[in-house]
Amino acid sequence: MCGIVGMVGRPKVTSALLDGLRRLEYRGYDSAGVAVFQDGDFQIRRAQGKLNNLDKLLNDSPAEGQTGVGHTRWATHGAPSERNAHPHRIGDVVVVHNGIIENHLELKREALAQGAEFSSETDTEIVAHLVNREIQQGHGLLDSTRRALEKVRGAYAICVLSRKHPDELVVAKNASPLVIGVGEGENYVASDIPALLPYTRDIIFLEEGEMARITREKVELFTLSGETVNRRAKHIHQWSVNQAEKAGHKHFMIKEIHEQPRAVIDTLRGRLDPAGPRIYLDDVRMDQQTAERVRRAVIVACGTSYHAGLIGKFIIEELARLPVEVDVASEYRYRRPIVDRDMLFLAISQSGETADTHAALRESRKLGARVMSVCNVVDSSIARDSDDVLYTHAGPEISVASTKAFTTQIVALALVGLRLAELRDTISSDRYFHLTNQLLMLPGMMEDVLKHAGKVKDIAQKYMNARDFLYLGRGINYPVALEGALKLKEISYIHAEGYPAGEMKHGPIALIDDKMPVVVLATRNESYEKMLSNIQEVRSRGGKVIAIVTRGDQDVISMASDYFEIPAIDPLLEPLLTSLPMQLLAYHVADLKGTDVDQPRNLAKSVTVE
């Protein structure tokens, strides 16, 4: 989850490294550092805490040059501190690393027995020791890095510099993201594309088990076994630099909430022909015979993507009449799952690099399942390892708390459900036309909801000091209750639980009193009358009901302490509207409480380690 940026041949490289790190700070912000080659040696600056602390340090103690590397850390091994911050230097070698070296203790014991001294608690430092040992034996930087990595087990994206090779970076990747940027007279490397957008749009995506030598003149790719790899750069045109900036909003999260109508349009663009209506999914190559052979589907994801998967279960089962299980990736990967060639494995990951989801995908594919993925990042690891992939095209999501990734994942799953239903002949033409038409109307409906965001802020002001929240939903809105509670926990640090409303009497009802706000998803769908009963049960115990209602529903409005209205929409697509006030409520409560909305404590954006 750490952020890496490196550059060769860039004049005044330090300011460019800091700029790249700012665009990657969502990946980790426990500490940060840079190493710059200057006057025949490295100048290293490291600071605990956020990037501003490193910036201040560099103002007081400048370091400049044309080759350097930077790192922003999310702690795994070793507490957040200056001594555990990257880059790590041993002898002539400097290393930054994202991932986990699983056998670092074993390697460290061997190094200590040979007289090595360690200055940090990190697993990364052993890589610097290993590479430096090879350098001292006369090997070049590329060869030394390859030899060192032969001893290493685990997930890593690393960037290595050597004082003996001042105009060269060597990078390697295994199960952690790394991209290379190609410029003119200068070249770059980073954990994620936004760090490189101001400098180049020509990107080379490193595959698993690959490494590269980067100089100002060229980029050379190799396998870890030393074979040459030929791959041309891809031109990235769909992301603008401005997309990675706040565009006048106070936080990235509120900007990204308001970007959702546009993000949904981008997800639908080119895939939904309103004249047909027809769905075209270019990267989903499943034919009718394959779709009919599928006997069940398993959706695997983590966090917010898991909640999107729960909604996808309702959509796919309803439309394609296909049994769907939804599993947490970190649990699925350590079981002995029952997998066969008649199973569709569907992975959901915003980054496309989520370690647990990727591991579960690889295992299921090995056992014969057809693998489909829903990702936001083009050519990410999960996407590359999938038979079929549906990119959400939501653009960079900087805030740790996911919003537009969540809603575009649901839209993608709706497209998958409709396409499977079409291939399996389980949907009528009228129903197909109705749902595709509703999808086309969806961005306008989302805009309508967001125009009334001020009302949610008023509700947040009223309940911001509550110690606990309960979120209740039924059917397809139950996962929205889970997601609403997660959002509030993530960024405001208020305890919140999402529950299926029918289960309220089996425990949570004991918590309800006049201090407990209860958010109730009470739209007009097949569970409507049951939800009315739940509202009465909350009211009779003094609970404060915050109701999400279908516009004009006076029955619920009359019973609620506070309410927010959404337009009427097909129940299968309701989560795309009911989730918006959930996001807004969490955001405004957190903002009013003064928490760090975009970078909540203990969390990072992309979980690329276990």
Side-chain angles (χ1 to χ4, degrees):
M1 283 166 282
C2 308
I4 292 171
V5 59
M7 302 184 178
V8 185
R10 178 77 186 178
K12 296 184 178 179
V13 73
T14 305
S15 60
L17 291 174
L18 283 171
D19 178 65
L21 290 177
R22 286 189 186 96
R23 299 171 192 277
L24 294 178
E25 198 174 10
Y26 64 91
R27 297 184 64 86
Y29 33 84
D30 291 332
S31 60
V34 296
V36 177
F37 195 79
Q38 176 182 325
D39 298 330
D41 204 355
F42 291 114
Q43 295 294 316
I44 297 177
R45 306 287 186 269
R46 306 186 302 184
Q48 183 179 346
K50 295 191 178 180
L51 199 57
N52 286 341
N53 295 339
L54 178 63
D55 202 359
K56 292 174 184 175
L57 178 62
L58 284 163
N59 284 333
D60 295 337
S61 178
E64 205 46 89
Q66 294 191 355
T67 298
V69 65
H71 188 274
T72 180
R73 181 173 185 250
W74 188 78
T76 52
H77 291 79
S81 66
E82 188 275 333
R83 76 188 184 104
N84 288 330
H86 300 212
H88 291 287
R89 178 177 185 174
I90 300 297
D92 290 326
V93 170
V94 164
V95 171
V96 293
H97 164 235
N98 173 24
I100 291 177
I101 307 301
E102 294 176 357
N103 62 333
H104 76 282
L105 290 176
E106 172 189 336
L107 295 171
K108 185 175 181 178
R109 282 193 294 268
E110 293 176 3
L112 288 169
Q114 295 171 4
E117 296 181 359
F118 287 77
S119 60
S120 78
E121 303 166 298
T122 70
D123 55 334
T124 300
E125 190 179 350
I126 187 59
V127 178
H129 278 280
L130 293 172
V131 177
N132 184 63
R133 184 189 304 163
E134 299 292 339
I135 290 278
Q136 300 310 313
Q137 293 176 5
H139 301 292
L141 183 57
L142 181 74
D143 218 24
S144 295
T145 304
R146 181 187 298 115
R147 287 168 174 265
L149 292 178
E150 287 176 352
K151 302 177 177 68
V152 165
R153 294 195 312 272
Y156 54 78
I158 66 166
C159 183
V160 186
L161 300 82
S162 168
R163 191 162 60 91
K164 294 184 176 181
H165 306 82
D167 297 315
E168 183 178 331
L169 298 178
V170 169
V171 299
K173 166 184 165 38
N174 182 50
S176 289
L178 205 62
V179 298
I180 297 170
V182 179
E184 294 184 8
E186 54 191 63
N187 290 303
Y188 323 90
V189 64
S191 297
D192 208 350
I193 294 170
L196 304 183
L197 286 178
Y199 312 104
T200 184
R201 290 177 175 274
D202 294 321
I203 303 296
I204 298 173
F205 296 88
L206 273 190
E207 300 277 1
E208 302 299 342
E210 289 184 350
M211 57 193 310
R213 175 164 49 205
I214 304 171
T215 65
R216 68 185 66 206
E217 294 87 13
K218 61 183 177 180
V219 175
E220 301 170 277
L221 303 184
F222 307 90
T223 65
L224 286 176
S225 60
E227 298 172 358
T228 300
V229 175
N230 294 309
R231 185 179 306 120
R232 304 179 74 174
K234 294 188 177 183
H235 188 72
I236 303 298
H237 55 80
Q238 69 264 45
W239 287 5
S240 69
V241 176
N242 289 335
Q243 280 182 295
E245 299 174 352
K246 294 180 185 175
H249 291 281
K250 186 174 181 180
H251 297 100
F252 282 113
M253 183 179 178
I254 191 64
K255 170 180 176 281
E256 289 158 6
I257 288 172
H258 284 278
E259 284 178 343
Q260 287 175 106
R262 189 274 308 158
V264 167
I265 290 171
D266 288 345
T267 304
L268 295 173
R269 182 176 284 120
R271 292 166 169 165
L272 188 55
D273 178 7
R278 284 295 307 277
I279 291 173
Y280 302 96
L281 305 181
D282 290 345
D283 292 321
V284 176
R285 303 176 184 87
M286 183 181 296
D287 57 19
Q288 184 172 359
Q289 183 179 7
T290 304
E292 289 177 344
R293 192 186 72 218
V294 171
R295 292 289 173 259
R296 65 187 180 101
V298 175
I299 296 175
V300 173
C302 300
T304 287
S305 295
Y306 170 74
H307 296 155
L310 291 171
I311 293 166
K313 170 184 170 71
F314 282 90
I315 295 171
I316 294 171
E317 286 189 342
E318 171 72 21
L319 299 180
R321 307 309 300 153
L322 187 68
V324 179
E325 304 166 28
V326 187
D327 219 325
V328 176
S330 57
E331 293 295 323
Y332 182 90
R333 65 177 294 194
Y334 289 113
R335 293 205 310 271
R336 294 178 60 195
I338 300 171
V339 179
D340 56 45
R341 62 188 302 270
D342 295 332
M343 184 185 105
L344 174 64
F345 180 96
L346 207 166
I348 309 175
S349 168
Q350 186 280 140
S351 66
E353 303 289 349
T354 309
D356 287 321
T357 306
H358 194 194
L361 179 153
R362 289 197 302 264
E363 180 65 17
S364 292
R365 187 173 191 179
K366 185 173 70 175
L367 293 172
R370 187 176 184 92
V371 171
M372 182 184 295
S373 63
V374 173
C375 299
N376 187 31
V377 180
V378 175
D379 263 14
S380 56
S381 298
I382 287 173
R384 292 197 303 271
D385 282 349
S386 299
D387 299 305
D388 309 292
V389 60
L390 195 58
Y391 292 115
T392 55
H393 299 310
E397 188 177 66
I398 307 303
S399 178
V400 168
S402 179
T403 53
K404 63 179 180 175
F406 175 67
T407 47
T408 54
Q409 285 168 353
I410 298 170
V411 171
L413 291 166
L415 292 173
V416 169
L418 283 164
R419 180 61 177 149
L420 285 171
E422 183 181 31
L423 291 170
R424 293 167 61 84
D425 195 24
T426 55
I427 189 170
S428 70
S429 57
D430 287 347
R431 179 75 169 137
Y432 188 91
F433 178 82
H434 169 72
L435 284 170
T436 52
N437 188 55
Q438 290 269 281
L439 281 170
L440 290 169
M441 295 170 61
L442 178 63
M445 293 183 183
M446 297 176 85
E447 290 276 13
D448 183 14
V449 171
L450 293 170
K451 284 178 185 175
H452 300 90
K455 181 165 185 179
V456 181
K457 185 175 182 179
D458 293 339
I459 295 171
Q461 182 81 57
K462 186 173 177 180
Y463 297 103
M464 61 177 283
N465 292 316
R467 292 182 57 187
D468 306 277
F469 273 72
L470 184 62
Y471 288 72
L472 298 177
R474 283 180 183 258
I476 202 167
N477 276 318
Y478 162 51
V480 180
L482 293 174
E483 176 63 12
L486 175 63
K487 283 289 158 288
L488 191 70
K489 283 184 281 195
E490 282 182 313
I491 62 173
S492 74
Y493 316 141
I494 294 174
H495 172 255
E497 283 192 66
Y499 241 84
E503 290 288 294
M504 185 177 64
K505 291 190 289 293
H506 295 270
I509 198 167
L511 300 172
I512 296 173
D513 59 21
D514 60 2
K515 297 180 179 63
M516 169 75 82
V518 182
V519 181
V520 180
L521 294 148
T523 49
R524 281 194 174 272
N525 55 34
E526 64 276 7
S527 301
Y528 176 71
E529 292 182 354
K530 300 292 186 183
M531 290 304 301
L532 292 182
S533 297
N534 291 133
I535 291 173
Q536 292 286 17
E537 290 165 349
V538 172
R539 279 164 46 92
S540 68
R541 286 155 181 84
K544 308 298 184 185
V545 175
I546 304 169
I548 310 302
V549 305
T550 305
R551 183 164 292 155
D553 186 352
Q554 293 302 317
D555 290 339
V556 177
I557 289 172
S558 66
M559 292 189 289
S561 307
D562 295 276
Y563 66 92
F564 187 89
E565 297 176 280
I566 65 166
I569 191 171
D570 188 280
L572 275 185
L573 301 179
E574 267 189 0
L576 290 156
L577 300 184
T578 54
S579 63
L580 301 183
M582 303 291 98
Q583 297 168 354
L584 289 165
L585 180 62
Y587 170 78
H588 286 300
V589 169
D591 184 39
L592 289 165
K593 290 176 76 68
T595 64
D596 193 340
V597 172
D598 285 332
Q599 297 176 349
R601 66 191 184 201
N602 302 332
L603 296 176
K605 181 66 181 173
S606 179
V607 184
T608 58
V609 298
E610 289 187 65

